[in-house]
Amino acid sequence: MKSLVVIAIGKNTALACREQLHRLLGNQVNVSHYYAEGSLPHNIKADLILFASQLAYRRTKPYVNKTCPILIARRSINYHEVNKLFQISAGTDVLLVNDSLASANQTIALLQTLGIDHINYYPFAQGLISYPRLKIAVTPGEKERVPDFVDEIIDIKARLIDITTLVELLLQLRLLDLYAEFLSANYMQDILQLIKNGNQMIYESNKMKTQLETILNTVHDGIIATDEMRQISVFNPIAEKLLHVQAQNALHSPIDKITNPNILQIFQEKMNSQEALLKVNGHHLLVTVSTLYPETNDNSKVYTFKDVSEIRRLEESVRRKLLQEHNVARYTFAQIVGQSKKIRQTLEIAKKMSHSDSTILIQGESGTGKELLAQSIHNASPRHAGPFIAVNFAALTENLLESELFGYTEGAFTGANKGGSSGLFEAAHKGTIFLDEIGDAPLPFQVKLLRVLQEQQIRRVGSSNLIPIDVRVIVATNQDLKPLIKKGLFRQDLYYRLNVLPIKIPPLRERVDDILLLCKVFYQNYTHSKDSNQATMYFQYIAPYLLKYNWPGNIRELQNIVEYLLNICQNKPPHFTDLPEELQSSCNFKPSAAKNKNQLKASICQEIKQANQENRSIGRRSLAQNLIIPENQVRVLLEELAKETWIISQKGRSGLKINPLYENKQYHTPDSCDKI
């Protein structure tokens, strides 16, 4: 399930935006919310972060994970509530109360743009020093912020997320195809309700008619309405623009007498399911017809239509933005954490490979950091100034794969953009393309990929022209490709074309020396702390278990564990019982029961002897890590050994020493000790 986080300044705005999105997205997307005035967790992560305003973005940006896609909402007045303002006498002074001064001013500007300017608005927000003490306050859902001296509060409810933002949101979550029809219907349902309310207001007041027209003129879709006599009663500016018809030539005209072919096409089209796709003046329009009063015999109808090219423009805009964000390699070798022998050897080999243009095959389990290594190689290569394009074969369907990577020409397939589109190989020209999960590439595509790698040329879908490319290829897989070759799932010739410079990333279980080092780095990243000793102390009680665990999810799993502990235990050092259940069950041993006390004392003495012989210091923490027992248990055993005179505890860097009298003896209890 996709995840979406809404962040606003105040609680009411956050709840209103979340409720609006939940009504739209249902159970398909997990929508959660935070607000700046509440308690914000660190490193908020989701498939998309939606900020309710620019101010919310500026205040809460540090709490959001930098890798998450973000979107700043455009919000509009809740049109269903503005009729409350028409009851206020012209020239009345009112406070406009919101969660910030910027939001208050923006709400005033939107109301005035709608023509609701018969009221004198004065912005008010907490912290404002100078303001008039007025008796009436207007607020978009922030009643608790209204000062005590106000007698009458008019709540026009929170501003809603604009439909253009909803389209961009669905595009980023890749749900537009699923929700396009529902979004249009949901949006137009609001418009229909406005028109219904507006028709009633027309009967009551010409002033209400003016306000309704103002609202209709600000929506983003074309709207034509006909009354019960089949005369055109509404023809908004968007309809004028899309149909190349002036409203004055259409308003109050009976449908039967309309001669303009563009309008006739809309009225005469037989629309299945009350919806049709028409081509008018070179524009593809999605047209919807609704009956204003279905419960009566009134034949009044509303025709709404939107320009499909506008949705495509928004989609392409989002795609370009996402592509630009993914065209940059952010990581370098300096950011790869590790001091173990295996990772140092891997990095040495990778640095040598970075100077070559030959194809690299990175093999490693999931979560070992294959893309991080690929980005580091790119940034250390002569191509570092060029683009870095990452492609995950597991995330692309076979139908999209060829057009996404090689591009396509106009008319190559249904829905192809006018003018065609370049592919990711062309986007990576003079740079590096990273093909992740290559083992998931379909066999038919493998043939075409092999040809591209051999010839350094691509052919767009639907074209016969070859386009030369200058691209360095890095591929990665978490599978062993040789068994796939035997099963006929991977081409042998492609394997040998890819396996020019092979490199393997060791799993975390083979990098035990790096586990606690990585823990410290993740701790410091999440807490923004630079105190290395504080990070070390945080993991003191669970270090033996972290070192013993097999880490099937590798570094990604370790990072998740650290984030989990920081959320559960916060600043308190965690213990064994704080670890996730899966990790606890895998460490189904109790170090204190693994050996009896005498065996542990003997092991401690042996560790200290060896350290003394190698002239290196040793202390309680290193003993706990080496023997896989809690540090507090080591402390108790060391105190007993000191009382028994087997060890000498020295301050400073000298650490623990074996009593010279026992240097050549194995530990035994005092009761059986030889007389010395």
Side-chain angles (χ1 to χ4, degrees):
M1 183 182 292
K2 300 278 188 180
S3 59
L4 171 64
V5 169
V6 180
I7 304 178
I9 293 295
K11 181 179 180 180
N12 291 344
T13 300
L15 287 171
C17 291
R18 181 187 181 280
E19 179 62 26
Q20 181 186 0
L21 292 170
H22 184 70
R23 288 197 305 269
L24 171 65
L25 301 172
N27 296 324
Q28 292 292 324
V29 178
N30 183 19
V31 184
S32 55
H33 69 282
Y34 297 102
Y35 47 97
E37 295 175 348
S39 178
L40 285 171
H42 287 287
N43 200 44
I44 298 172
K45 297 174 78 172
D47 292 316
L48 181 63
I49 308 291
L50 179 66
F51 295 95
S53 64
Q54 286 283 354
L55 182 59
Y57 171 74
R58 291 195 298 270
R59 284 196 188 178
T60 64
K61 180 182 178 182
Y63 295 92
V64 174
N65 186 287
K66 294 181 180 178
T67 63
C68 291
I70 65 170
L71 188 62
I72 299 175
R74 291 178 292 277
R75 292 164 56 217
S76 57
I77 295 296
N78 191 329
Y79 300 125
H80 300 291
E81 303 292 329
V82 294
N83 61 313
K84 297 175 181 178
L85 302 180
F86 302 153
Q87 301 171 14
I88 302 176
S89 301
T92 303
D93 294 338
V94 300
L95 285 180
L96 195 294
V97 181
N98 214 327
D99 54 11
S100 71
L101 186 60
S103 295
N105 284 322
Q106 189 175 29
T107 303
I108 292 172
L110 286 171
L111 289 170
Q112 290 175 337
T113 300
L114 287 174
I116 309 176
D117 54 2
H118 65 288
I119 307 169
N120 301 321
Y121 302 100
Y122 292 86
F124 175 88
Q126 290 180 357
L128 192 65
I129 298 175
S130 177
Y131 52 86
R133 298 176 67 86
L134 303 175
K135 297 301 181 182
I136 301 177
V138 175
T139 180
E142 302 286 350
K143 291 195 292 185
E144 70 276 8
R145 301 179 188 273
V146 176
D148 295 337
F149 55 76
V150 172
D151 293 335
E152 182 181 359
I153 301 174
I154 300 173
D155 186 5
I156 59 173
K157 305 302 180 184
R159 288 185 292 139
L160 302 175
I161 301 170
D162 188 85
I163 190 171
T164 58
T165 299
L166 294 176
V167 171
E168 291 184 41
L169 182 148
L170 292 173
L171 281 169
Q172 292 222 33
L173 293 176
R174 298 186 177 181
L175 294 174
L176 184 60
D177 290 343
L178 180 64
Y179 282 94
E181 183 175 350
F182 179 74
L183 176 63
S184 176
N186 189 52
Y187 181 62
M188 292 319 305
Q189 184 179 6
D190 289 344
I191 300 299
L192 290 174
Q193 187 62 44
L194 288 172
I195 293 176
K196 291 178 182 179
N197 295 339
N199 280 340
Q200 184 62 35
M201 285 189 280
I202 288 172
Y203 294 126
E204 299 172 354
S205 170
N206 287 331
K207 182 178 179 181
M208 295 300 177
K209 177 182 177 181
T210 302
Q211 300 297 342
L212 174 61
E213 290 174 351
T214 302
I215 292 173
L216 291 174
N217 291 342
T218 62
V219 299
H220 298 279
D221 293 338
I223 298 177
I224 299 176
T226 59
D227 60 22
E228 59 183 351
M229 303 302 293
R230 291 177 56 80
Q231 288 188 332
I232 297 175
S233 57
V234 174
F235 204 98
N236 76 342
I238 299 297
E240 288 184 300
K241 179 180 177 181
L242 292 176
L243 301 178
H244 294 182
V245 174
Q246 290 186 348
Q248 62 184 11
N249 296 332
L251 281 171
H252 313 302
S253 299
I255 293 177
D256 299 335
K257 294 184 179 180
I258 290 293
T259 58
N260 188 290
N262 294 335
I263 304 179
L264 280 176
Q265 187 177 355
I266 291 176
F267 289 143
Q268 294 175 353
E269 180 69 26
K270 294 180 180 179
M271 291 189 262
N272 297 324
S273 302
Q274 304 299 302
E275 188 173 88
L277 186 64
L278 305 179
K279 188 173 183 179
V280 179
N281 284 337
H283 293 276
H284 289 282
L285 304 180
L286 182 64
V287 184
T288 305
V289 62
S290 301
T291 302
L292 266 179
Y293 306 106
E295 67 279 1
T296 68
N297 293 325
D298 192 324
N299 200 33
S300 301
K301 295 185 183 298
V302 175
Y303 297 82
T304 63
F305 42 96
K306 60 172 78 252
D307 190 348
V308 176
S309 63
E310 178 65 12
I311 295 178
R312 287 178 178 171
R313 185 193 65 78
L314 288 171
E315 180 182 4
E316 290 176 357
S317 176
V318 172
R319 281 188 177 181
R320 282 195 300 271
K321 183 178 179 182
L322 292 175
L323 187 60
Q324 289 171 358
E325 290 176 354
H326 289 82
N327 278 3
V328 179
R330 301 190 304 273
Y331 298 103
T332 65
F333 285 118
Q335 293 170 276
I336 298 179
V337 178
Q339 60 185 13
S340 62
K341 182 178 179 180
K342 285 199 172 184
I343 196 63
R344 283 191 280 108
Q345 289 175 341
T346 300
L347 295 180
E348 287 175 8
I349 295 171
K351 288 175 183 177
K352 293 176 181 177
M353 290 180 175
S354 65
H355 301 298
S356 167
D357 256 357
S358 301
T359 303
I360 295 177
L361 173 60
I362 302 175
Q363 300 176 71
E365 297 177 7
S366 294
T368 51
K370 296 186 289 296
E371 183 169 354
L372 189 149
L373 184 64
Q375 291 190 22
S376 301
I377 292 172
H378 170 78
N379 278 329
S381 74
R383 296 175 176 268
H384 66 273
F388 177 88
I389 306 292
V391 183
N392 191 315
F393 282 94
L396 289 175
T397 63
E398 186 173 349
N399 293 334
L400 286 175
L401 201 55
E402 190 174 353
S403 60
E404 286 288 334
L405 266 69
F406 303 147
Y408 56 87
T409 59
E410 181 178 351
F413 50 84
T414 303
N417 287 340
K418 186 176 181 180
S421 175
S422 60
L424 296 177
F425 265 96
E426 287 182 69
H429 187 63
K430 295 296 182 181
T432 302
I433 190 165
F434 174 59
L435 307 178
D436 198 7
E437 306 297 354
I438 190 68
D440 292 328
L443 274 173
F445 181 79
Q446 292 179 28
V447 180
K448 298 170 183 176
L449 178 60
L450 177 63
R451 186 183 305 116
V452 170
L453 296 176
Q454 289 174 339
E455 300 175 2
Q456 287 289 294
Q457 294 177 321
I458 61 102
R459 180 187 288 114
R460 292 186 181 182
V461 176
S463 173
S464 59
N465 298 325
L466 292 174
I467 302 173
I469 53 171
D470 178 10
V471 176
R472 203 272 178 87
V473 178
I474 302 177
V475 298
T477 180
N478 61 5
Q479 305 180 65
D480 186 349
L481 297 180
K482 290 185 178 179
L484 295 181
I485 294 173
K486 291 181 180 179
K487 294 178 183 178
L489 299 176
F490 200 84
R491 293 182 62 91
Q492 188 174 38
D493 48 2
L494 178 59
Y495 171 76
Y496 287 115
R497 186 65 187 80
L498 298 174
N499 196 36
V500 180
L501 297 178
I503 184 170
K504 291 187 177 181
I505 303 181
L508 189 55
R509 61 182 171 274
E510 297 178 8
R511 299 173 50 189
V512 178
D513 293 345
D514 296 333
I515 292 175
L516 296 182
L517 183 61
L518 286 162
C519 284
K520 292 179 187 178
V521 171
F522 295 143
Y523 174 90
Q524 291 174 317
N525 288 343
Y526 287 131
T527 62
H528 306 290
S529 170
K530 296 182 180 180
D531 189 344
S532 177
N533 186 56
Q534 180 182 344
T536 301
M537 296 299 292
Y538 185 81
F539 298 100
Q540 59 180 318
Y541 301 123
I542 60 170
Y545 307 104
L546 299 178
L547 295 171
K548 188 74 174 177
Y549 185 51
N550 198 44
W551 298 109
N554 293 293
I555 298 174
R556 187 182 295 119
E557 183 182 11
L558 176 61
Q559 184 175 6
N560 292 343
I561 292 292
V562 173
E563 184 177 359
Y564 169 85
L565 293 172
L566 285 169
N567 278 280
I568 298 300
C569 304
Q570 298 181 351
N571 295 325
K572 181 189 71 174
H575 290 74
F576 176 74
T577 53
D578 296 316
L579 292 170
E581 184 177 344
E582 182 179 356
L583 200 152
Q584 287 189 39
S585 61
S586 68
C587 298
N588 56 358
F589 66 93
K590 291 185 178 180
S592 58
K595 301 177 182 178
N596 62 43
K597 183 183 289 187
N598 288 340
Q599 288 176 316
L600 286 172
K601 287 182 178 180
S603 298
I604 288 174
C605 289
Q606 186 60 37
E607 290 284 335
I608 296 173
K609 281 182 186 180
Q610 186 174 347
N612 293 166
Q613 291 169 0
E614 297 173 358
N615 196 27
R616 58 181 170 84
S617 63
I618 189 168
R620 188 168 63 221
R621 189 170 302 137
S622 54
L623 284 169
Q625 293 177 7
N626 293 345
L627 298 176
I628 319 297
I629 60 175
E631 193 172 334
N632 59 348
Q633 187 177 0
V634 174
R635 178 180 54 78
V636 173
L637 295 174
L638 288 175
E639 290 174 355
E640 293 183 10
L641 286 169
K643 288 180 181 179
E644 296 168 7
T645 71
W646 274 85
I647 64 169
I648 301 170
S649 180
Q650 298 177 326
K651 294 183 178 180
R653 301 185 64 181
S654 300
L656 300 167
K657 300 287 184 184
I658 284 288
N659 189 327
L661 297 174
Y662 299 102
E663 283 184 351
N664 298 319
K665 293 181 178 292
Q666 292 291 327
Y667 173 79
H668 46 263
T669 61
D671 294 337
S672 61
C673 184
D674 295 334
K675 298 293 182 180
I676 299 177

